[in-house]
Amino acid sequence: MKHLTIENLPKHEAVPVLGEFLQLYYVRNSGAAFSIGSSMTWIFTIAMAVVVGIVVWKTLEVRSRLWATVLGLLLGGVLGNLTDRLLREPGFAVGHVVDMISMPWMMPAIFNVADIFIVSGMISVALLVVFGLRLDGTRERDHAQSADDATADGAEDAPASAGI
């Protein structure tokens, strides 16, 4: 998508796809969302490299298809933008991310498919944690129940105290 954007879209001109609802608008972003931190591009590069490392490390524990999908979305999005940071102008580790999707009715931001994957992935991670689904596919409540059962079994097996 980024290659097609660079090759086919004019820079800084709206190209309507669905009128004002969806437009293509080619820009290069040195910062994060809404161009925040434009002068600190290298920090985003380091942060994304750390995220890639953590996601890859956590995938070693994944036994849940849902978690695998969510972490795959997140990893794909981060790698897409990290590649821009590492390989695009103005130079290594400070490259500008290619953005091209604009929905002016919703927000003033211009974003890309990788950003969609990152945001969707992070929201999904939060939901999986809130609903208690572990990386191994088990649920928190199952582990809590097992711990309660073990405690109850231990109390029943304890010897009665002498002298009563």
Side-chain angles (χ1 to χ4, degrees):
M1 182 81 168
K2 291 179 181 187
H3 176 74
L4 291 172
T5 296
I6 293 166
E7 293 296 319
N8 297 303
L9 286 179
K11 251 186 176 179
H12 306 286
E13 279 185 45
V15 177
V17 176
L18 295 172
E20 290 289 314
F21 181 79
L22 175 66
Q23 300 174 345
L24 296 178
Y25 196 96
Y26 171 29
V27 296
R28 298 233 181 173
N29 185 359
S30 61
F34 302 101
S35 296
I36 295 170
S38 295
S39 62
M40 299 181 292
T41 302
W42 62 274
I43 292 174
F44 301 122
T45 304
I46 292 169
M48 285 188 280
V50 168
V51 169
V52 167
I54 291 169
V55 170
V56 169
W57 173 56
K58 292 311 261 178
T59 58
L60 299 174
E61 301 173 34
V62 171
R63 300 290 175 264
S64 161
R65 285 188 184 152
L66 189 54
W67 267 108
T69 302
V70 167
L71 291 178
L73 279 173
L74 183 59
L75 184 62
V78 173
L79 285 172
N81 283 346
L82 180 59
T83 301
D84 282 354
R85 296 285 183 207
L86 293 175
L87 303 178
R88 295 210 190 273
E89 294 177 359
F92 183 77
V94 293
H96 297 179
V97 173
V98 173
D99 288 334
M100 77 291 293
I101 301 169
S102 175
M103 300 175 83
W105 61 274
M106 185 172 72
M107 65 178 125
I110 300 169
F111 51 96
N112 60 45
V113 176
D115 296 333
I116 295 168
F117 283 12
I118 292 168
V119 171
S120 300
M122 290 306 298
I123 290 170
S124 299
V125 165
L127 289 171
L128 290 173
V129 169
V130 166
F131 289 120
L133 183 63
R134 292 179 167 210
L135 292 170
D136 64 4
T138 61
R139 297 202 175 266
E140 285 293 328
R141 68 174 182 254
D142 298 337
H143 289 273
Q145 183 67 33
S146 297
D148 290 344
D149 291 346
T151 303
D153 289 345
E156 291 171 6
D157 294 342
S161 55
I164 297 186

